Amino acid sequence: MKKKIAVLSATLLLMAGAVSASGLNGDYKGNPIVKVTSNGKPLEAGEVPAMIYDGNTLVPISLLRQLGASVTWDGDAYQVDVKLPEPPTAPPAAVDKSEVTMQQNDAKKLKKYAAAAELYLKLQTLGESLDSARTTIRLTADAMNAGKAEASSLISIAKTSYFKANEMLTSLTKDTTKSVYDDFDKYGINSSQIMFTLTDYQESARHYQLALDYLDKYVRDKKASDYNEYLNNIGKADDYAKIAKEKSSKGYTEWSKSVLNF
C-alpha cells in the first residue's frame, strides 16, 4: 500500500511540473510554449509559437524572419531554404598617420646609410686602384735605375694603370653632386668627410700624374732633376693616398655598422 502511494505521489509531482511549465507562457495543443528573445528582446510569435514537444524545443522558422533571415518554402521538394543575413563588416582600423610617416622616414634613413656605406666602399676600391698604379710606377723607376731595357715598356703599363684609377676618381667626383651631399647631411651623415676624402684622392692622383710625367722625362733624357721631381711627387701622392684610404676605411666601417644595427 505504501509503494502505491509513493508511485502516485511521483506521478502527481510530474503533472505539477508540467502544469507549472505550461503556466509560465501558456501552452499550445498541450505543449508548453517557449518565449524566444533576441538580445533580450522578445520575438513576436505567429500562429504557431515555439514550444516543447516530446522533450525537444521547437522554434518555428517564421521567427527567424524577425532576425533578418530569408526563408523560402519549396513545396515540390518539400524543403525549406534558409539564408541567414551576413554579419556586418567591421570598419577598417584607423591608420595612425604619424606611425606611417615614421616608418617611411626610417626606410629613407636606412637607404641613405646604405648609400653612404656603398660610397665609402667605392672610395676604398679607388685607393686600391691607385695603389696598383703606384706599384707599377715604382717598378718602372727601379728598372730604370738598374739599367733594365723593360723600363720603357713598364712606364706604358704604369700610365694605363694610373688612367684607370683616374677614370674611377672622375666618375665618383661627378656622381657626388651637391644634392647628394645635402641628402646625406639631412639624415645625419657628415658629407664634409666624404668631400675631404675625395679631395685627398684628387691631390694624390694629381701628384701621381706629375710623378709619371717626370719619370717619363727621366726615362728619355736621364736628367737627375727630373728624377728628383719624380721622387718628390711620388712621395706626396703616397701621403695623400694613405690619408684618403684611412678615411675611406673608417667611413665604410661606420656606416655599414649603422645599417646592420638599424
Side-chain angles (χ1 to χ4, degrees):
M1 182 69 179
K2 290 181 179 181
K3 184 176 181 181
K4 288 183 179 180
I5 293 173
V7 172
L8 180 61
S9 299
T11 303
L12 290 173
L13 286 172
L14 289 173
M15 290 180 63
V19 170
S20 177
S22 298
L24 289 175
N25 302 303
D27 64 89
Y28 179 80
K29 294 184 179 182
N31 301 301
I33 294 175
V34 175
K35 185 169 71 173
V36 180
T37 63
S38 174
N39 295 324
K41 295 181 180 180
L43 300 180
E44 295 182 5
E47 294 181 1
V48 179
M51 69 186 79
I52 295 175
Y53 178 79
D54 196 19
N56 297 303
T57 301
L58 305 183
V59 179
I61 293 178
S62 60
L63 290 179
L64 297 179
R65 288 194 175 97
Q66 299 179 42
L67 300 177
S70 172
V71 181
T72 305
W73 166 253
D74 186 345
D76 295 332
Y78 222 69
Q79 70 179 26
V80 175
D81 182 65
V82 180
K83 295 180 179 178
L84 298 176
E86 293 290 335
T89 57
V95 178
D96 188 344
K97 292 184 178 180
S98 62
E99 180 67 22
V100 172
T101 301
M102 187 180 299
Q103 291 176 357
Q104 290 174 342
N105 288 337
D106 285 345
K108 291 178 181 178
K109 184 182 292 186
L110 180 60
K111 187 176 180 180
K112 291 301 174 184
Y113 287 179
E118 183 180 3
L119 179 54
Y120 273 114
L121 182 59
K122 289 179 179 178
L123 289 170
Q124 278 187 304
T125 304
L126 171 60
E128 293 168 1
S129 185
L130 284 172
D131 280 346
S132 178
R134 179 197 62 187
T135 300
T136 312
I137 293 170
R138 288 190 176 277
L139 286 174
T140 303
D142 292 342
M144 183 62 201
N145 287 331
K148 295 181 179 179
E150 62 264 26
S152 297
S153 59
L154 280 173
I155 197 164
S156 296
I157 297 173
K159 288 178 180 179
T160 301
S161 182
Y162 165 75
F163 290 148
K164 180 180 178 181
N166 195 53
E167 284 179 358
M168 190 183 301
L169 173 60
T170 302
S171 177
L172 281 173
T173 303
K174 183 179 178 180
D175 291 343
T176 49
T177 60
K178 185 179 182 301
S179 62
V180 171
Y181 288 132
D182 289 343
D183 278 345
F184 280 149
D185 289 331
K186 181 179 177 181
Y187 291 96
I189 301 168
N190 188 354
S191 65
S192 297
Q193 191 66 27
I194 299 172
M195 284 189 282
F196 292 150
T197 304
L198 268 173
T199 299
D200 287 334
Y201 274 131
Q202 288 164 353
E203 283 299 302
S204 176
R206 185 174 71 86
H207 284 289
Y208 277 133
Q209 177 66 68
L210 288 171
L212 266 173
D213 291 342
Y214 281 111
L215 186 60
D216 197 14
K217 290 180 181 179
Y218 180 63
V219 170
R220 291 195 316 267
D221 305 329
K222 310 297 187 293
K223 290 183 178 180
S225 58
D226 290 334
Y227 186 74
N228 289 334
E229 286 296 333
Y230 153 75
L231 290 176
N232 179 45
N233 282 283
I234 197 75
K236 290 180 179 179
D238 288 349
D239 291 340
Y240 279 113
K242 181 180 179 182
I243 295 171
K245 284 189 295 181
E246 288 175 353
K247 290 177 181 177
S248 300
S249 178
K250 182 179 178 181
Y252 175 71
T253 300
E254 178 183 357
W255 294 110
S256 58
K257 283 184 177 179
S258 294
V259 171
L260 293 174
N261 298 330
F262 192 82

